Amino acid sequence: MTAPLSPENPLVRTLRDLHRAEGRRHAGAVLVEGRRAIDGFLAGAWVCDLILTPTDQDPPDTWPAHLCRHVSPKAIARLSQTKTPSGWFARFLLPKPEPLDPQRGGLVLVGVGDPGNVGTLIRSAAAFACPQVVCIGGADPFGHKVIQASAGALCQTRLSIHPAACGPELLAGAALTALVVKGGHAAESLPRRPRWLVVGSEAEGLDAAWTAACSEHITLPMARTSESLNAAVAGSIACYLLRQSW
Amino acid sequence: MTAPLSPENPLVRTLRDLHRAEGRRHAGAVLVEGRRAIDGFLAGAWVCDLILTPTDQDPPDTWPAHLCRHVSPKAIARLSQTKTPSGWFARFLLPKPEPLDPQRGGLVLVGVGDPGNVGTLIRSAAAFACPQVVCIGGADPFGHKVIQASAGALCQTRLSIHPAACGPELLAGAALTALVVKGGHAAESLPRRPRWLVVGSEAEGLDAAWTAACSEHITLPMARTSESLNAAVAGSIACYLLRQSW
């Protein structure tokens, strides 16, 4: 390896640009932090072009050694987005978006704002073989916290990203199933066929246009004393129950 | 209301003691932060004896006005455990622990270390009418992050707390069902009867003693390409699937 990356190296600035959505879009790349997260991403299909490791640690033998270089403690502090930086970073190139296949179904997140929820839902979708995830508004799916929560699932997922104003006409003609807090059917009662599970924002749920566009509504049965489930948990249970739609 | 609570007021120190597990145990109380979290706890069975609100905001009419006082911005900064303090705090007295009912079943968390996961699992357990939750080692269920993630469910839950060394003899004679990453049966195939769902630590799962004590093992079916689910999500799906055990 060459000398450890110093905080003054222009590469540090280039990598810090990936902390912002605009910088990621411009560079067509994301920065993944943490050894375990990097492991998950290396196992996926995205192309890695740079790995940084702390000066006192060498990368595992299974990692591409020619992409690795050490990084100084001061540069780690500048690059990290966590409270307790591990000193492991990797840059991955974003793949070209694949076209949406409305008839095949999948998961739609409409305005899900918490990045931990978005990452956890993408992780659950991947676990239950969901073929594609559509994000409409909400947290940027390539942000740091989404990447961490997705635990590598992000790069196994066919992802389609749209602005908050995008309405259900995006999936015109496809079967849409809304997850709603009350009044819906049991997920187990739905016929087996391709469909989109539509999950709304944590605070407000789905807006009128999306609700009206969904021909099916499901609700998880809950104890009367309970106000609600965590949004990522509710969406993940629905993914589990509808996994045979995919 | 009286003058806003200043940072020098001895009460601030008393409340800060509730940030630590030992301080909570000694005082027999917890500090709940954030308006929505306080709302959730006020709806439960725990006794509240103090509420602090920012000087520019009054509490909702439904809150007990005689318990409320304003708190100065500097005192807020000293009391808060969040990055962006809301300035709303409430102290709740911990109820006397109720005796465990081994034959009725419930949820057992063995060494679940992440407080967000513990809180989310307690929230899911409450949503699916789980009658009791046993915590063995792992994150202190009365810590700040557990309280936030439980969203008020903590005070609807019959909770039994034990040290990490506590083994399955605690529930001797009861039916124990382990959630395991692979090799278990489908949860849907189990007979309907009272049982304990046993969830192990995020990193290591269940130890040999707990695994051996469980007469049933369940596994969630997952796509081959997927490494795993988020621990709170996996445990919550299992709670959903076994809800008729309770």
Side-chain angles (χ1 to χ4, degrees):
Chain A
M1 293 201 199
T2 51
L5 190 67
S6 76
E8 294 78 28
N9 190 307
L11 180 56
V12 171
R13 184 169 203 160
T14 304
L15 294 174
R16 275 172 61 96
D17 283 344
L18 303 180
H19 293 181
R20 295 172 300 105
E22 200 196 312
R24 289 189 290 270
R25 203 163 31 239
H26 185 254
V30 297
L31 191 65
V32 177
E33 184 170 355
R35 192 170 158 154
R36 215 176 142 200
I38 295 170
D39 244 340
F41 275 81
L42 286 173
W46 291 8
V47 174
C48 179
D49 75 345
L50 176 69
I51 297 174
L52 303 176
T53 72
T55 48
D56 58 346
Q57 290 180 70
D58 285 322
D61 291 343
T62 51
W63 289 18
H66 66 288
L67 300 178
C68 298
R69 66 181 288 185
H70 284 312
V71 54
S72 74
K74 281 192 179 165
I76 290 173
R78 292 210 62 202
L79 284 174
S80 182
Q81 295 180 83
T82 68
K83 268 190 216 163
T84 50
S86 67
W88 298 78
F89 303 88
R91 180 169 62 187
F92 287 85
L93 308 183
L94 288 172
K96 206 179 132 194
E98 289 178 81
L100 198 58
D101 179 354
Q103 297 312 315
R104 205 173 158 209
L107 173 66
V108 190
L109 306 180
V110 185
V112 177
D114 181 90
N117 286 344
V118 171
T120 301
L121 285 163
I122 289 173
R123 185 175 178 184
S124 299
F128 300 129
C130 172
Q132 44 194 344
V133 177
V134 172
C135 294
I136 298 186
D140 180 336
F142 298 128
H144 170 67
K145 288 186 179 172
V146 176
I147 286 175
Q148 302 305 122
S150 90
L154 198 63
C155 58
Q156 295 162 11
T157 301
R158 187 161 154 174
L159 205 62
S160 179
I161 303 170
H162 303 270
C166 175
E169 60 282 359
L170 177 73
L171 300 169
L176 303 184
T177 303
L179 175 63
V180 295
V181 174
K182 54 184 176 183
H185 293 96
E188 293 88 342
S189 71
L190 298 187
R192 188 167 164 173
R193 61 162 171 167
R195 61 166 58 79
W196 290 89
L197 168 63
V198 185
V199 174
S201 92
E202 295 90 342
E204 283 129 44
L206 290 170
D207 69 18
W210 277 98
T211 306
C214 293
S215 61
E216 296 168 330
H217 296 75
I218 58 167
T219 293
L220 300 174
M222 278 190 270
R224 260 177 314 148
T225 50
S226 169
E227 198 204 343
S228 69
L229 289 165
N230 169 286
V233 164
S236 297
I237 294 176
C239 280
Y240 173 85
L241 296 173
L242 296 182
R243 68 194 184 282
Q244 298 191 330
S245 308
W246 299 322
Chain B
M1 294 203 198
T2 52
L5 190 67
S6 77
E8 293 77 28
N9 190 306
L11 180 56
V12 171
R13 184 170 204 160
T14 304
L15 294 174
R16 275 174 59 95
D17 283 344
L18 304 180
H19 292 182
R20 295 173 301 104
E22 201 195 314
R24 290 190 289 270
R25 203 163 31 238
H26 185 253
V30 297
L31 191 64
V32 177
E33 183 169 355
R35 191 168 161 158
R36 214 177 143 199
I38 295 169
D39 245 340
F41 275 81
L42 285 173
W46 290 8
V47 174
C48 179
D49 74 345
L50 176 70
I51 296 175
L52 303 177
T53 73
T55 47
D56 57 347
Q57 290 179 72
D58 284 324
D61 290 344
T62 51
W63 289 18
H66 66 287
L67 299 178
C68 297
R69 66 180 290 187
H70 284 312
V71 54
S72 75
K74 280 191 180 167
I76 288 174
R78 291 211 63 202
L79 283 173
S80 181
Q81 294 180 85
T82 68
K83 268 190 215 163
T84 49
S86 67
W88 299 77
F89 303 88
R91 181 169 60 189
F92 287 85
L93 308 182
L94 288 172
K96 206 179 130 195
E98 289 179 82
L100 198 58
D101 180 353
Q103 297 311 316
R104 205 172 158 212
L107 173 66
V108 190
L109 305 180
V110 185
V112 177
D114 180 272
N117 286 343
V118 171
T120 301
L121 285 163
I122 288 172
R123 184 174 179 185
S124 299
F128 300 128
C130 172
Q132 42 194 346
V133 177
V134 172
C135 293
I136 299 188
D140 181 337
F142 298 128
H144 169 67
K145 288 186 180 172
V146 176
I147 286 174
Q148 301 306 120
S150 90
L154 198 63
C155 58
Q156 296 165 9
T157 301
R158 188 161 153 174
L159 205 62
S160 180
I161 302 170
H162 303 270
C166 174
E169 59 281 1
L170 177 74
L171 300 169
L176 304 183
T177 302
L179 174 63
V180 295
V181 174
K182 55 183 176 183
H185 292 96
E188 293 89 342
S189 71
L190 298 186
R192 189 168 165 171
R193 61 162 170 167
R195 61 166 58 80
W196 290 89
L197 168 62
V198 185
V199 174
S201 92
E202 295 89 342
E204 283 128 44
L206 290 169
D207 69 18
W210 276 98
T211 305
C214 293
S215 61
E216 296 168 331
H217 296 75
I218 60 166
T219 293
L220 300 173
M222 278 190 271
R224 261 177 313 149
T225 50
S226 170
E227 199 204 341
S228 68
L229 290 164
N230 169 286
V233 164
S236 296
I237 294 176
C239 281
Y240 173 84
L241 296 173
L242 296 181
R243 68 194 185 282
Q244 298 190 330
S245 307
W246 300 320

